[in-house]
């Protein structure tokens, strides 16, 4: 089973940028479809982005399109989420997820999850 550990969460001002990382264990990272989700207090879990096994296909939630970019480096067993033009509404706990099938934005279909990292956008 793959283990996921997120990092990079921080307190940033509106309009700022932040890069999150998700490090995965194991030697078969390229076999996993990866996704990012977020959840703020009082809100439901929201799809942020997903990336295919080889990184050739990416998908984004409507609220982050044009501002966030997902990428992966299979040689480093790591997936990234570059977040630009951050807004207070982006404040949430961000979690990465993995699955061997192309489940994309369906969080309940991902088999593996990290513990999450806090992102706070405030002036």
């Amino acid at each position: 089973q793959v283990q996921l550990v997120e990092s990079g969460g921080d307190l940033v001002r509106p309009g700022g940028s932040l890069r999150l990382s998700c490090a995965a264990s194991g030697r078969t990272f390229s076999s996993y479809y990866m996704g990012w989700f977020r959840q703020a207090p009082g809100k439901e879990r929201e799809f942020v982005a997903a990336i295919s096994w080889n990184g050739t296909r990416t998908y984004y939630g409507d609220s982050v399109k044009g501002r966030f970019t997902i990428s992966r480096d299979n040689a480093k067993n790591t997936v990234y989420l570059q977040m630009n033009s951050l807004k207070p509404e982006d404040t949430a706990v961000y979690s990465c997820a993995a699955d061997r099938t192309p489940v994309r934005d369906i969080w309940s279909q991902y088999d593996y999850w990290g513990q999450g990292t806090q992102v706070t956008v405030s002036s």
Side-chain angles (χ1 to χ4, degrees):
Q1 297 183 352
V2 63
Q3 292 183 328
L4 308 174
V5 180
E6 303 95 334
S7 63
D10 205 351
L11 170 65
V12 298
R13 291 187 173 185
S17 298
L18 199 62
R19 190 186 194 188
L20 305 183
S21 298
C22 176
S25 65
R27 299 174 295 176
T28 58
F29 178 69
S30 62
S31 297
Y32 291 92
Y33 203 94
M34 302 295 297
W36 283 98
F37 293 81
R38 67 186 184 185
Q39 187 166 28
K43 297 183 178 180
E44 295 183 356
R45 187 176 300 178
E46 179 185 19
F47 170 71
V48 176
I51 188 167
S52 62
W53 306 275
N54 57 10
T56 58
R57 294 182 178 180
T58 57
Y59 308 88
Y60 297 94
D62 291 338
S63 62
V64 305
K65 288 181 178 178
R67 299 189 298 121
F68 291 9
T69 302
I70 188 172
S71 62
R72 68 190 297 163
D73 187 338
N74 289 344
K76 296 182 178 180
N77 283 8
T78 303
V79 63
Y80 305 95
L81 183 67
Q82 177 66 46
M83 307 187 298
N84 299 325
S85 301
L86 285 164
K87 307 174 182 179
E89 304 92 275
D90 295 319
T91 296
V93 173
Y94 286 71
S95 301
C96 65
D99 200 271
R100 290 186 177 274
T101 59
V103 293
R104 300 180 183 180
D105 60 338
I106 308 174
W107 68 268
S108 61
Q109 296 299 307
Y110 282 87
D111 288 334
Y112 308 100
W113 290 85
Q115 294 300 308
T117 185
Q118 177 70 48
V119 173
T120 302
V121 184
S122 177
S123 60

